[in-house]
Amino acid sequence: MKNRKLVMIPGPTPVARSTQNEMGRETTAFGDPLFVKDFKGLIEDLKVMMNTDGEVFVVAGTGTMAMEMAVANVTKRGDNILLVSHGFFGDRFIDLCQRKGLNVDVLASEWGKAVPVEEIDRKLSEKNYAAITVTHVDTATGVCAPVAEIGEVIRKYPDTIYIVDGVCASAAEPEDMVGMGIDVLLTGSQKAFGVSPGLAIVWAGKKALERRKQLGTIPEFYIDFEKWLPIMENPAKYFATPAVNLIWALKDAVRIINEEGLKERQDRHRKVAKATQAAMESLGFRILAEEGFRAVTLSNLIYPEGVDDLEFRNTLSEEGVFVAGGLGAYAGRMFRLGHMGNIDMHDSVSAIAAIERTLYRLGKHTELGKGVGVFMKEMME
Ligand code: PMP
């Protein structure tokens, strides 16, 4: 039998068999009382998961649409918005917001570093911002923003809606909307939830929903909170056809998450990330994100001297592991290893072993087992 291929990119992530089975079910009418009951249950579970005092919207689309949905429902043309960017996905908000006629200010860090919270505070005190966006984990840099600390600062600015992009974080990094003062949290189905791509999930707290009401009619139609609110309150109603099978799949993924326990899941991610990062450092890779701001969902690893990106990734793929390349200025200098969702300790051990075999084949490594040894020691602590 041929070896399995491990998909260790930062999304889409592996989908559990039971979740795949939900996508293979015969599609039913969205008005089928059994589906309505499932959808309703999912909505309730998701609200509890992120501790919101508002609503959650589960809509067919991707993370980018969720970003747009978040911004469109809490701002209007001419408003000021502050974008905190730790990389490619933080920057994605710039064009998105400019197209909506928002006055955009950007606080960007050098890749791998985090914008200091004091700088965010200073900027917010300069003018009235309708909203601020923070990317919880920027997938391009592996920098994890201190969302709770930023939330504390934002509490001083009651007119500012706090939007958090959780696409590469939700269900793995701690997120508590009421506790952290997050007004809008958004994600996609294909990362730490472990569902195929295709669903946008947007939580909106009370303050965000009030802002939406104040705006009156907004230019956007499909992503308007007001259009979806009646459906999220009663999924028997119709606005636009729900992605029936993906909703079942997400429901199964939430069951898996709750069976593990959200806190236990976060702890597992933290432990595996720390051990993986120690192992990769022992093999000569450098982690792009500075210490204290490293994501638990993926590692952004800069190659040791003399390792060619394409040669490395092609050989690694022959050894059975798919990883992602670097973005922006780090294309060719770095690779990205996902370790979120259903990727567990066993996958990580296998991936590190395959990386060692790859380096060995490229003549860059002699001590086979070194990285795996470091990983296992860290895991046993
Ligand atoms: N934000 C972050 C942090 C992401 O990692 C991604 C996708 N990698 C997106 C937004 C965009 O999501 P999508 O590709 O599902 O549109």
Side-chain angles (χ1 to χ4, degrees):
M1 193 183 100
K2 271 178 71 181
N3 285 315
R4 281 181 299 132
K5 289 266 185 208
L6 287 182
V7 180
M8 304 281 288
I9 62 172
T13 61
V15 179
R17 169 50 60 197
S18 59
T19 308
Q20 291 180 39
N21 288 346
E22 293 297 315
M23 290 187 284
R25 278 173 71 178
E26 187 155 353
T27 304
T28 189
F30 56 81
D32 179 337
L34 290 178
F35 172 71
V36 170
K37 183 167 166 281
D38 285 344
F39 198 179
K40 183 92 195 135
L42 170 66
I43 291 164
E44 288 314 313
D45 286 350
L46 287 172
K47 287 202 274 195
V48 170
M49 182 186 279
M50 296 304 173
N51 191 27
T52 181
D53 56 5
E55 194 48 87
V56 66
F57 301 89
V58 182
V59 178
T62 75
T64 305
M65 192 191 78
M67 291 165 70
E68 185 149 19
M69 190 165 180
V71 172
N73 282 280
V74 298
T75 59
K76 60 178 187 309
R77 187 166 277 279
D79 279 349
N80 299 321
I81 189 163
L82 180 61
L83 313 180
V84 178
S85 178
H86 296 142
F88 180 86
F89 289 100
D91 287 351
R92 177 163 282 199
F93 277 110
I94 300 174
D95 191 16
L96 191 156
C97 291
Q98 281 171 343
R99 283 163 186 247
K100 295 188 184 301
L102 299 171
N103 299 321
V104 173
D105 286 334
V106 185
L107 275 178
S109 61
E110 185 192 325
W111 277 31
K113 302 241 179 313
V115 174
V117 177
E118 308 76 64
E119 221 175 288
I120 298 172
D121 193 4
R122 192 172 337 117
K123 197 82 190 159
L124 286 172
S125 69
E126 282 172 9
K127 55 175 125 155
N128 199 282
Y129 286 99
I132 175 174
T133 67
V134 175
T135 309
H136 196 163
V137 170
D138 199 303
T139 323
T141 56
V143 169
C144 180
V147 289
E149 285 171 49
I150 298 171
E152 275 313 305
V153 163
I154 296 172
R155 284 187 206 277
K156 294 195 290 187
Y157 305 94
D159 293 341
T160 307
I161 298 286
Y162 184 19
I163 298 172
V164 173
D165 172 349
V167 173
C168 196
S170 301
E173 300 276 4
E175 285 170 338
D176 170 344
M177 291 185 69
V178 169
M180 298 177 177
I182 301 169
D183 299 305
V184 184
L185 176 66
L186 64 102
T187 194
S189 48
Q190 77 275 22
K191 301 234 181 196
F193 275 92
V195 178
S196 295
L199 284 180
I201 310 162
V202 182
W203 292 260
K206 221 163 74 191
K207 186 171 149 188
L209 293 173
E210 276 162 18
R211 170 67 63 80
R212 169 63 198 91
K213 270 216 175 69
Q214 285 163 15
L215 294 177
T217 304
I218 61 169
E220 291 80 4
F221 184 73
Y222 177 68
I223 56 172
D224 185 353
F225 284 173
E226 294 275 299
K227 294 283 186 198
W228 286 107
L229 265 174
I231 286 76
M232 297 303 140
E233 282 159 10
N234 174 10
K237 290 188 178 165
Y238 169 79
F239 166 56
T241 310
V244 173
N245 290 69
L246 279 171
I247 285 166
W248 273 331
L250 182 60
K251 188 173 170 58
D252 186 65
V254 169
R255 176 191 62 75
I256 291 172
I257 293 168
N258 287 338
E259 269 177 23
E260 181 178 7
L262 189 59
K263 169 84 172 54
E264 288 74 11
R265 188 179 178 84
Q266 291 160 0
D267 289 347
R268 167 169 67 84
H269 277 81
R270 198 167 53 242
K271 203 162 179 185
V272 167
K274 198 165 161 274
T276 302
Q277 288 162 3
M280 296 309 291
E281 281 184 318
S282 81
L283 298 176
F285 291 89
R286 200 163 65 72
I287 296 155
L288 175 62
E290 64 180 324
E291 251 194 285
F293 297 94
R294 288 181 182 162
V296 302
T297 47
L298 84 163
S299 297
N300 297 42
L301 300 155
I302 298 168
Y303 291 114
E305 250 334 280
V307 176
D308 178 77
D309 175 43
L310 275 186
E311 195 180 22
F312 174 85
R313 285 194 287 135
N314 287 338
T315 312
L316 184 56
S317 144
E318 285 169 17
E319 290 296 333
V321 178
F322 286 124
V323 295
L327 295 173
Y330 284 90
R333 291 172 54 202
M334 176 179 92
F335 82 95
R336 294 177 299 146
L337 180 68
H339 32 74
M340 68 183 115
N342 295 317
I343 290 175
D344 64 11
M345 181 184 67
H346 303 295
D347 300 316
S348 295
V349 169
S350 300
I352 294 163
I355 289 166
E356 290 201 51
R357 293 197 300 276
T358 299
L359 292 175
Y360 186 84
R361 279 177 59 186
L362 300 180
K364 304 290 178 200
H365 185 46
T366 49
E367 215 184 311
L368 284 174
K370 183 180 177 186
V372 170
V374 169
F375 179 87
M376 289 196 298
K377 271 197 213 104
E378 282 278 336
M379 290 300 289
M380 298 309 287
E381 269 174 15

